[in-house]
């Protein structure tokens, strides 16, 4: 069943965006009494289409909520790479993405472009979340400066190409009970020494991801796959 | 330093393809005495460009060889999805890829198209291997029928959407010492019951990858990330 995220809930009705209504009518060609899955406020409902394409709640579906929060801090990259990261991160369970201005990042966006881009990014995350049947859409914040990120709390990790000893695996084994993990991934040219030492003095732990040499857009997918795997329960 | 894979080694010289020579001359604008990394037969060399763009071996570099073999069996997908899987799989350490004809795969290729596609796939794998500084290029075989894959040996896994109990994690924990792992990933519509039972009777173990609902092209990246992570040594 097709899944949509509602904008609001009013008594026993769910309010969808115009884009979603267009999708329902014109792409999916659905009619009165057809049912859809609708998520609002991390709650899943089965909704029924009324004559005027309002959505009436038919049923409330219990869902597991995973309380582990995964926050990714990513560099600004070319559009296709950003799009890939956002789509795949939503599939792989990210909670929040913070795009960060970094010294060696090649991409610079003026504020008008950045605003437009943010709307595009939110759309990609929403669509990927629908397709992956998530009950939430990952949050993406406006672009931040690294120096503004001093008050994040949680298990803070920076993927460093200079680190040789301290593996991601070791850090995860030693911090099994975390409820919030923050992972920063550097740009193509890597982080500067200055950026790394600022991060370390802000409580970030440097880790190596092992021997693979990955393109920068592959790194978040690698890390998210592993975080998901580590939280898999073995019976 | 730029890395290339040589076609042959003749005494103290390495023979590169015309494409690579073009890249060296025209894209990289390298000259006599400039050095490059060249891999031949899983051995890394430092080579020096001669006047006529022949490559003379300057040094032999010792390299770690990882003996774990990872073989991916993947469905035929749309071109952009195939390309993504191949590029990322090379980055994430795959050894061999076997494209498999599956009942619910939407894509069908006639033999002429399949031959052309194979050349394209090999090129993607070679370029990704150069960029990831691998010492080998993953092998990709021509498209095979599932019924022809009866004599593979190793730890054989099929990612199944019907399996609920047996997680990938459990299987990996119980088979730590494997030296060859074979992972089959189904097409967008999933494997048919018939295909699954044929695989099981050929020694494949059904696993679930957990709760995430991923697009099909994300699954190999997820699995390869995990296999790599599981082989990371914690000191």
């Amino acid at each position: 069943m097709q899944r949509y995220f509602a904008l609001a809930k009013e008594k026993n009705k769910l309010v969808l965006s115009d884009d979603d209504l267009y999708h329902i009518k014109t792409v999916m060609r659905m009619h009165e009494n057809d049912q859809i899955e609708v998520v609002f406020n991390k709650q899943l409902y089965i909704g029924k289409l009324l004559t005027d394409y309002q959505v009436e709640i038919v049923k409330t579906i219990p869902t597991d909520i995973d309380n582990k929060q995964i926050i990714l801090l990513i560099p600004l990259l070319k559009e296709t790479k950003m799009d890939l990261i956002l789509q795949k991160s939503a599939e792989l369970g990210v909670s929040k993405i913070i795009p960060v201005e970094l010294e060696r990042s090649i991409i610079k966006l003026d504020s008008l472009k950045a605003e437009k881009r943010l709307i595009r990014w939110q759309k990609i995350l929403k669509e990927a979340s629908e397709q992956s049947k998530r009950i939430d859409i990952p949050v993406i914040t406006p672009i931040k400066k690294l120096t503004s990120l001093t008050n994040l709390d949680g298990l803070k990790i920076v993927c460093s190409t200079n680190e040789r000893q301290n593996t991601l695996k070791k850090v995860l084994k030693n911090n099994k009970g975390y409820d919030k993990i923050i992972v920063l991934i550097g740009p193509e040219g890597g982080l500067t020494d200055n950026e790394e030492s600022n991060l370390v003095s802000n409580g970030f732990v440097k880790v190596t991801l092992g021997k693979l040499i990955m393109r920068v857009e592959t790194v978040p997918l690698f890390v998210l796959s592993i975080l998901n795997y580590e939280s898999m329960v073995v019976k």
Side-chain angles (χ1 to χ4, degrees), chain A residues 17-29:
Chain A
S17 72
D18 290 346
D19 276 2
D20 287 339
L21 288 174
Y22 176 85
H23 190 263
I24 287 170
K25 287 183 218 177
T26 314
V27 182
M28 302 300 292
R29 294 168 189 261

Side-chain angles (χ1 to χ4, degrees), chain A residues 209-227:
Chain A
L209 302 179
K211 287 186 202 157
L212 296 176
I213 297 172
M214 291 175 264
R215 285 172 205 237
V216 66
E217 75 274 18
T218 313
V219 179
L221 319 186
F222 179 83
V223 172
L224 289 171
S225 298
I226 288 163
L227 294 180

Side-chain angles (χ1 to χ4, degrees), chain A residues 158 160 163-171 174 205-210:
Chain A
V158 48
S160 167
E163 181 59 40
R164 291 281 173 276
Q165 297 299 320
N166 199 31
T167 59
L168 174 61
K169 195 168 184 173
K170 193 169 163 182
V171 173
N174 293 337
V205 178
K206 290 205 269 183
V207 300
T208 169
L209 302 179

Side-chain angles (χ1 to χ4, degrees), chain A residues 38 44 62 66 71 76 98 140 147-148 169 183 198:
Chain A
V38 184
L44 176 61
D66 184 2
I71 300 174
L76 292 177
I98 307 178
I140 183 157
T147 46
S148 75
K169 195 168 184 173
V183 183
N198 278 340

Side-chain angles (χ1 to χ4, degrees), chain A residues 125-168:
Chain A
L125 290 169
K126 176 172 177 285
E127 286 171 1
S129 301
E130 284 165 357
Q131 193 158 9
S132 293
K133 307 249 169 203
R134 289 179 57 132
I135 53 156
D136 61 341
I137 303 170
V139 174
I140 183 157
T141 71
I143 301 161
K144 306 229 165 158
K145 287 190 194 306
L146 193 60
T147 46
S148 75
L149 297 170
T150 49
N151 58 354
L152 293 168
D153 64 326
L155 173 58
K156 295 188 273 191
I157 286 175
V158 48
C159 305
S160 167
T161 49
N162 299 318
E163 181 59 40
R164 291 281 173 276
Q165 297 299 320
N166 199 31
T167 59
L168 174 61

Side-chain angles (χ1 to χ4, degrees), chain A residues 1-4 30-38 45-49 55-59:
Chain A
M1 205 181 291
Q2 195 74 23
R3 181 171 297 199
Y4 299 93
M30 285 196 266
H31 299 102
E32 196 183 340
N33 289 324
D34 282 348
Q35 297 199 339
I36 53 175
E37 292 177 358
V38 184
Y45 302 93
I46 303 295
K48 187 179 80 174
L49 294 175
V55 180
E56 191 181 87
I57 295 172
V58 175
K59 209 168 150 187

Side-chain angles (χ1 to χ4, degrees), chain A residues 28 63 67 74 89 118 123 133 144 165 175 214:
Chain A
M28 302 300 292
T63 43
N67 286 318
I74 56 168
S89 296
L118 188 60
K123 192 164 175 245
K133 307 249 169 203
K144 306 229 165 158
Q165 297 299 320
N175 291 277
M214 291 175 264

